[in-house]
Amino acid sequence: MTNFDEQLEELVTANRILAREGVVDAFGHVSIRHPEHPDRYILSQSRAPDLVNVSDLMEYTLEGDPLDQQGRTMYSERPIHGGIYEARDDVLAIVHNHSATVVPFTVTDTPLRPMFHLGALIGPELPVWDIRDNFQDTSMLVATMDQGRDLARCLGDCRVALMRGHGCVITGKSIREVVMASIYLQVNAGLLLESLRLGDVKYMTPGEIELMSEGQMRPTAQERAWEYWANRAGRRKDGDKNA
Ligand code: MN
């Protein structure tokens, strides 16, 4: 397998892991920037992530136009991916999901920030994007490039942006990193909901967040977590299907 083929297999594994860990269901998606053409990204055709195979993966321009559609249906929220890849050269992978554990923090003033050590990876600040601010009443879906670019502006240099009444978007420098951040965003949100019922919450300090997230990005930590999640999702580490 070429390096490109391996990345496609890894993107399939990412789809399956996010489904297995309950971060996505019928909806939600994960993309990578094309490793050889930085002005393109790779995203499945419109399909539940748990069912995605390599043959579902499609190449898109940053504007969201397919290079070879082959009659396949497409996710309507492609502008989430294009808008962010266009604005952020450093971003190589993106997850969008509707985690029910995260949504309460998108509609209230209670901030979602790291308070659990493995939540450090989500970053110290999570801006909340409200589509209504600039687009009035909509279907709530990020369906145009104007909307995707507006979301990217709100994200700024952060790793995660929350989306009011909708979900969130998580960015990273690799598939593995973005999957880890997506899983621990949900875990941290759940622990925060529980903690808020008990009393005042002590959040991690900016220094703790920096030190812990450095540790989480180390290849040994990434490798260990990926092997665990890939195995749970029925995908061997080498990307073999149905292993
Ligand atoms: Mn959505």
Side-chain angles (χ1 to χ4, degrees):
M1 271 203 303
T2 66
N3 187 265
F4 182 60
D5 291 335
E6 280 169 20
Q7 291 215 38
L8 296 183
E9 288 291 345
E10 190 140 306
L11 182 54
V12 170
T13 301
N15 274 273
R16 306 290 185 85
I17 289 174
L18 292 168
R20 173 67 178 82
E21 302 305 321
V23 173
V24 296
D25 49 21
F27 304 101
H29 22 88
V30 49
S31 71
I32 55 170
R33 192 189 289 275
H34 195 298
E36 286 144 29
H37 304 280
D39 56 346
R40 297 182 201 163
Y41 61 89
I42 300 168
L43 178 70
S44 172
Q45 70 163 314
S46 179
R47 203 164 187 204
D50 200 33
L51 305 176
V52 165
N53 287 298
V54 166
S55 59
D56 296 309
L57 300 179
M58 299 172 62
E59 282 186 32
Y60 292 98
T61 66
L62 295 188
E63 293 283 338
D65 298 319
L67 270 77
D68 184 13
Q69 188 173 354
Q70 299 173 15
R72 293 172 286 187
T73 54
M74 304 182 286
Y75 293 131
S76 61
E77 293 196 291
R78 301 191 300 288
I80 292 174
H81 302 265
I84 293 171
Y85 286 128
E86 188 182 80
R88 289 273 301 271
D89 288 346
D90 62 313
V91 170
L92 301 181
I94 297 173
V95 169
H96 167 59
N97 73 71
H98 309 142
S99 170
T101 317
V102 171
V103 169
F105 295 97
T106 73
V107 293
T108 59
D109 290 333
T110 304
L112 175 45
R113 298 203 306 264
M115 42 68 75
F116 169 55
H117 73 305
L118 290 166
L121 205 52
I122 64 176
E125 230 187 293
L126 288 75
V128 182
W129 181 67
D130 189 339
I131 194 168
R132 203 166 192 288
D133 287 347
N134 289 320
F135 301 96
Q136 290 81 45
D137 284 347
T138 62
S139 68
M140 304 285 284
L141 300 181
V142 184
T144 69
M145 279 306 291
D146 276 353
Q147 292 166 346
R149 289 176 180 129
D150 195 57
L151 170 60
R153 267 192 296 277
C154 175
L155 173 70
D157 292 330
C158 297
R159 179 184 289 275
V160 175
L162 307 184
M163 301 159 71
R164 192 266 301 170
H166 182 159
C168 52
V169 60
I170 302 99
T171 65
K173 291 178 171 55
S174 71
I175 302 179
R176 294 181 180 203
E177 191 184 299
V178 85
V179 165
M180 180 182 270
S182 300
I183 291 170
Y184 284 120
L185 170 64
Q186 178 168 275
V187 170
N188 190 94
L191 290 171
L192 183 51
L193 284 171
E194 287 296 312
S195 304
L196 287 164
R197 286 149 48 109
L198 300 180
D200 291 341
V201 172
K202 287 180 183 163
Y203 292 90
M204 292 176 75
T205 68
E208 288 172 338
I209 292 169
E210 195 181 325
L211 290 167
M212 181 60 203
S213 54
E214 275 170 22
Q216 284 178 283
M217 309 254 258
R218 282 196 197 109
T220 46
Q222 295 274 321
E223 183 67 27
R224 179 162 136 194
W226 188 262
E227 184 182 31
Y228 168 72
W229 286 317
N231 186 59
R232 272 163 66 88
R235 302 269 300 174
R236 267 210 312 259
K237 194 172 63 164
D238 62 8
D240 260 355
K241 273 179 233 170
N242 308 316

PDB file of all heavy atoms in Angstrom, residues 28-29 77 80 96-98 141 163 166, ligand 1:
ATOM      1  N   GLY A  28     -22.804  13.460  11.180  1.00  0.00           N
ATOM      2  CA  GLY A  28     -21.444  13.804  11.594  1.00  0.00           C
ATOM      3  C   GLY A  28     -20.472  13.249  10.560  1.00  0.00           C
ATOM      4  O   GLY A  28     -20.782  12.286   9.857  1.00  0.00           O
ATOM      5  N   HIS A  29     -19.307  13.901  10.433  1.00  0.00           N
ATOM      6  CA  HIS A  29     -18.326  13.443   9.449  1.00  0.00           C
ATOM      7  C   HIS A  29     -16.909  13.840   9.822  1.00  0.00           C
ATOM      8  O   HIS A  29     -16.699  14.702  10.662  1.00  0.00           O
ATOM      9  CB  HIS A  29     -18.651  13.940   8.038  1.00  0.00           C
ATOM     10  CG  HIS A  29     -19.516  15.149   7.920  1.00  0.00           C
ATOM     11  ND1 HIS A  29     -19.039  16.433   7.916  1.00  0.00           N
ATOM     12  CD2 HIS A  29     -20.866  15.253   7.790  1.00  0.00           C
ATOM     13  CE1 HIS A  29     -20.040  17.284   7.772  1.00  0.00           C
ATOM     14  NE2 HIS A  29     -21.168  16.610   7.704  1.00  0.00           N
ATOM     15  N   GLU A  77     -23.117  19.627   4.532  1.00  0.00           N
ATOM     16  CA  GLU A  77     -22.317  20.544   5.347  1.00  0.00           C
ATOM     17  C   GLU A  77     -20.826  20.522   4.989  1.00  0.00           C
ATOM     18  O   GLU A  77     -19.975  20.816   5.844  1.00  0.00           O
ATOM     19  CB  GLU A  77     -22.523  20.236   6.827  1.00  0.00           C
ATOM     20  CG  GLU A  77     -23.938  20.560   7.289  1.00  0.00           C
ATOM     21  CD  GLU A  77     -24.035  20.631   8.802  1.00  0.00           C
ATOM     22  OE1 GLU A  77     -23.914  19.585   9.458  1.00  0.00           O
ATOM     23  OE2 GLU A  77     -24.239  21.738   9.321  1.00  0.00           O
ATOM     24  N   ILE A  80     -18.256  23.336   6.087  1.00  0.00           N
ATOM     25  CA  ILE A  80     -17.551  23.331   7.378  1.00  0.00           C
ATOM     26  C   ILE A  80     -16.078  23.014   7.119  1.00  0.00           C
ATOM     27  O   ILE A  80     -15.174  23.676   7.640  1.00  0.00           O
ATOM     28  CB  ILE A  80     -18.159  22.274   8.336  1.00  0.00           C
ATOM     29  CG1 ILE A  80     -19.576  22.671   8.757  1.00  0.00           C
ATOM     30  CG2 ILE A  80     -17.250  22.049   9.549  1.00  0.00           C
ATOM     31  CD1 ILE A  80     -20.289  21.602   9.589  1.00  0.00           C
ATOM     32  N   HIS A  96     -16.718  16.941  12.403  1.00  0.00           N
ATOM     33  CA  HIS A  96     -17.939  17.669  12.772  1.00  0.00           C
ATOM     34  C   HIS A  96     -18.897  16.664  13.381  1.00  0.00           C
ATOM     35  O   HIS A  96     -19.104  15.585  12.817  1.00  0.00           O
ATOM     36  CB  HIS A  96     -18.571  18.322  11.541  1.00  0.00           C
ATOM     37  CG  HIS A  96     -19.968  18.810  11.793  1.00  0.00           C
ATOM     38  ND1 HIS A  96     -20.268  19.742  12.769  1.00  0.00           N
ATOM     39  CD2 HIS A  96     -21.167  18.479  11.226  1.00  0.00           C
ATOM     40  CE1 HIS A  96     -21.565  19.969  12.776  1.00  0.00           C
ATOM     41  NE2 HIS A  96     -22.132  19.215  11.856  1.00  0.00           N
ATOM     42  N   ASN A  97     -19.452  16.977  14.548  1.00  0.00           N
ATOM     43  CA  ASN A  97     -20.422  16.054  15.154  1.00  0.00           C
ATOM     44  C   ASN A  97     -21.485  16.790  15.948  1.00  0.00           C
ATOM     45  O   ASN A  97     -21.393  17.995  16.171  1.00  0.00           O
ATOM     46  CB  ASN A  97     -19.697  15.003  16.011  1.00  0.00           C
ATOM     47  CG  ASN A  97     -19.164  15.582  17.302  1.00  0.00           C
ATOM     48  OD1 ASN A  97     -19.917  15.915  18.213  1.00  0.00           O
ATOM     49  ND2 ASN A  97     -17.846  15.728  17.387  1.00  0.00           N
ATOM     50  N   HIS A  98     -22.499  16.031  16.368  1.00  0.00           N
ATOM     51  CA  HIS A  98     -23.664  16.567  17.077  1.00  0.00           C
ATOM     52  C   HIS A  98     -23.759  15.947  18.467  1.00  0.00           C
ATOM     53  O   HIS A  98     -24.867  15.655  18.932  1.00  0.00           O
ATOM     54  CB  HIS A  98     -24.948  16.260  16.306  1.00  0.00           C
ATOM     55  CG  HIS A  98     -24.909  16.654  14.858  1.00  0.00           C
ATOM     56  ND1 HIS A  98     -25.491  15.898  13.873  1.00  0.00           N
ATOM     57  CD2 HIS A  98     -24.354  17.728  14.234  1.00  0.00           C
ATOM     58  CE1 HIS A  98     -25.303  16.492  12.689  1.00  0.00           C
ATOM     59  NE2 HIS A  98     -24.606  17.602  12.881  1.00  0.00           N
ATOM     60  N   LEU A 141     -28.103  24.361   9.267  1.00  0.00           N
ATOM     61  CA  LEU A 141     -27.012  23.629   8.623  1.00  0.00           C
ATOM     62  C   LEU A 141     -26.026  24.607   7.972  1.00  0.00           C
ATOM     63  O   LEU A 141     -26.424  25.655   7.467  1.00  0.00           O
ATOM     64  CB  LEU A 141     -27.558  22.681   7.553  1.00  0.00           C
ATOM     65  CG  LEU A 141     -28.545  21.610   8.036  1.00  0.00           C
ATOM     66  CD1 LEU A 141     -28.985  20.731   6.874  1.00  0.00           C
ATOM     67  CD2 LEU A 141     -27.928  20.758   9.141  1.00  0.00           C
ATOM     68  N   MET A 163     -21.117  24.935  18.118  1.00  0.00           N
ATOM     69  CA  MET A 163     -22.103  25.489  17.187  1.00  0.00           C
ATOM     70  C   MET A 163     -23.458  25.493  17.877  1.00  0.00           C
ATOM     71  O   MET A 163     -23.977  24.434  18.234  1.00  0.00           O
ATOM     72  CB  MET A 163     -22.122  24.644  15.908  1.00  0.00           C
ATOM     73  CG  MET A 163     -20.747  24.594  15.223  1.00  0.00           C
ATOM     74  SD  MET A 163     -20.552  23.197  14.098  1.00  0.00           S
ATOM     75  CE  MET A 163     -21.643  23.691  12.763  1.00  0.00           C
ATOM     76  N   HIS A 166     -26.525  22.922  17.714  1.00  0.00           N
ATOM     77  CA  HIS A 166     -26.181  22.055  16.592  1.00  0.00           C
ATOM     78  C   HIS A 166     -25.111  21.023  16.969  1.00  0.00           C
ATOM     79  O   HIS A 166     -25.359  19.824  16.913  1.00  0.00           O
ATOM     80  CB  HIS A 166     -25.713  22.958  15.432  1.00  0.00           C
ATOM     81  CG  HIS A 166     -25.371  22.239  14.166  1.00  0.00           C
ATOM     82  ND1 HIS A 166     -25.352  22.873  12.941  1.00  0.00           N
ATOM     83  CD2 HIS A 166     -25.006  20.961  13.919  1.00  0.00           C
ATOM     84  CE1 HIS A 166     -25.013  21.998  11.999  1.00  0.00           C
ATOM     85  NE2 HIS A 166     -24.793  20.842  12.568  1.00  0.00           N
TER      86      HIS A 166
HETATM   87 MN    MN B   1     -24.225  19.119  11.444  1.00  0.00          MN
END
